[in-house]
Amino acid sequence: MSMIKRQTTINRIFKVSGIGLHSGHEVTLEFLPRREFGVVFVHKGVSIPARYDMVADTRLSTQIGAGGAAVSTIEHLMAAFYFSGITNCLVYIDGPEVPILDGSAWEFYQGMWKAGVYEFPESGVYLKVQRPIEVHHNDSWVKIKPLNTLEITMSIEFRPPVGKQKKRVTDVENAFAIINSRTFVLQEEIEAIRKIGLARGGSLDNAVVIGSDEIMNPKGLRYKNELVNHKILDLIGDFYTSGYRILGKVEANKTGHYLNNMLLRELFSDPLNYTIY
Ligand SMILES: [Zn+2]
């Protein structure tokens, strides 16, 4: 959905269930309309705003936490909110991790689309970047500079058969191939991730697995660019923890949840860096 100008919420309540990628446990999310600005998770009776300054861990997913409660892997759901144009929503969650579903934002997006959008009179949903910001970590970086739309250029590099891939998206609000591009993992990383107790729910049904010379999933990739598309999806979801639809020209190289969050912290560190309307 493009041309969102005002605050919105979902038009009716809906639920989504599935297993958490890292915990392997079944989790149910219940989405409720919200009058006040922003997306807020409620877990164990604790409200946790889905905001960059509540982000507590960025190891393998974006996790928010407050008051002894935490919710992880929020990034694909946040991207679904972005693409649906939803600014205000209450998300009740009965487990510590947002379900992985098919590894993309598709099922959340469909749920929001079916629920419909209710528009409020208030604006203040866009954040326009006014000064260039960039953050680095080793050879990874993400930069943003002023532009009247959101444009994202993403580069990734992994061992063969992935190699170097680069994609530029100019009309991000309508880049629907991003929404159902799935998360991915290198085959040799699976064991290492499992050893630290994560990815217990991972399977070929919810991730693209990259073998030594081919994609292991029987049906292959959904798009030729699916992997770099997914990195863009993660960035959109992470950036939406700003609370706003960011306008700017983004360039990123091998970025991840940590740097995406660092960029937002840098952005909000000085009110002269942005305007909201
Ligand atoms: Zn992801």
Side-chain angles (χ1 to χ4, degrees):
M1 174 170 304
S2 61
M3 303 303 286
I4 292 292
K5 289 282 193 291
R6 300 181 187 285
Q7 294 183 27
T8 59
T9 192
I10 51 172
N11 215 13
R12 65 176 179 83
I13 295 170
F14 69 98
K15 290 185 184 185
V16 174
S17 295
I19 60 159
L21 173 64
H22 295 305
S23 64
H25 295 140
E26 168 100 6
V27 179
T28 298
L29 302 180
E30 186 172 20
F31 296 82
L32 288 89
R34 182 169 197 253
R35 182 65 186 88
E36 299 76 28
F37 187 56
V39 172
V40 174
F41 286 83
V42 181
H43 180 47
K44 294 189 202 164
V46 180
S47 294
I48 317 171
R51 224 174 43 215
Y52 73 99
D53 56 342
M54 309 301 283
V55 169
D57 189 346
T58 52
R59 239 181 342 164
L60 290 169
S61 74
T62 296
Q63 182 195 80
I64 50 171
V71 176
S72 64
T73 322
I74 66 165
E75 58 271 18
H76 306 160
L77 174 54
M78 294 308 292
F81 279 124
Y82 174 84
F83 280 108
S84 303
I86 306 287
T87 60
N88 308 1
C89 194
L90 208 50
V91 186
Y92 280 85
I93 180 165
D94 66 359
E97 184 179 13
V98 174
I100 189 66
L101 305 172
D102 71 345
S104 79
W106 180 244
E107 198 175 325
F108 295 129
Y109 176 77
Q110 267 194 318
M112 291 168 196
W113 188 82
K114 285 182 195 155
V117 175
Y118 182 90
E119 193 175 276
F120 296 118
E122 291 88 354
S123 56
V125 303
Y126 279 101
L127 181 151
K128 189 172 186 314
V129 170
Q130 297 292 356
R131 299 198 295 207
I133 310 275
E134 57 179 273
V135 290
H136 296 253
H137 182 70
N138 299 328
D139 62 341
S140 306
W141 46 262
V142 54
K143 312 174 182 185
I144 190 163
K145 57 186 183 186
L147 188 72
N148 287 326
T149 58
L150 175 61
E151 181 182 310
I152 301 172
T153 303
M154 177 68 68
S155 303
I156 60 172
E157 186 178 2
F158 291 92
R159 63 148 173 81
V162 179
K164 283 188 188 183
Q165 296 186 18
K166 186 172 184 174
K167 180 161 175 174
R168 176 167 169 251
V169 182
T170 51
D171 184 14
V172 173
E173 291 192 333
N174 293 300
F176 295 110
I178 305 295
I179 304 174
N180 69 342
S181 287
R182 293 163 296 170
T183 194
F184 59 93
V185 64
L186 301 178
Q187 197 174 24
E188 66 271 21
E189 285 177 350
I190 297 174
E191 266 316 299
I193 294 170
R194 290 216 165 125
K195 266 187 192 143
I196 57 168
L198 298 171
R200 289 193 183 109
S203 76
L204 292 172
D205 294 329
N206 53 35
V208 174
V209 178
I210 299 155
S212 52
D213 50 21
E214 59 177 355
I215 301 296
M216 305 302 285
N217 306 61
K219 290 183 184 166
L221 294 175
R222 288 178 178 170
Y223 305 99
K224 184 169 64 72
N225 288 321
E226 183 169 9
L227 308 182
V228 68
N229 280 356
H230 187 81
K231 283 292 186 185
I232 295 172
L233 177 78
D234 282 341
L235 185 141
I236 290 169
D238 285 341
F239 274 22
Y240 204 42
T241 65
S242 64
Y244 301 99
R245 305 177 74 75
I246 290 181
L247 301 176
K249 185 182 171 79
V250 178
E251 286 180 78
N253 183 52
K254 306 201 300 191
T255 187
H257 306 303
Y258 170 74
L259 276 183
N260 297 344
N261 185 251
M262 289 299 293
L263 185 109
L264 294 185
R265 289 178 191 264
E266 187 68 29
L267 175 67
F268 285 108
S269 69
D270 187 338
L272 294 177
N273 286 340
Y274 59 90
T275 50
I276 287 166
Y277 66 91

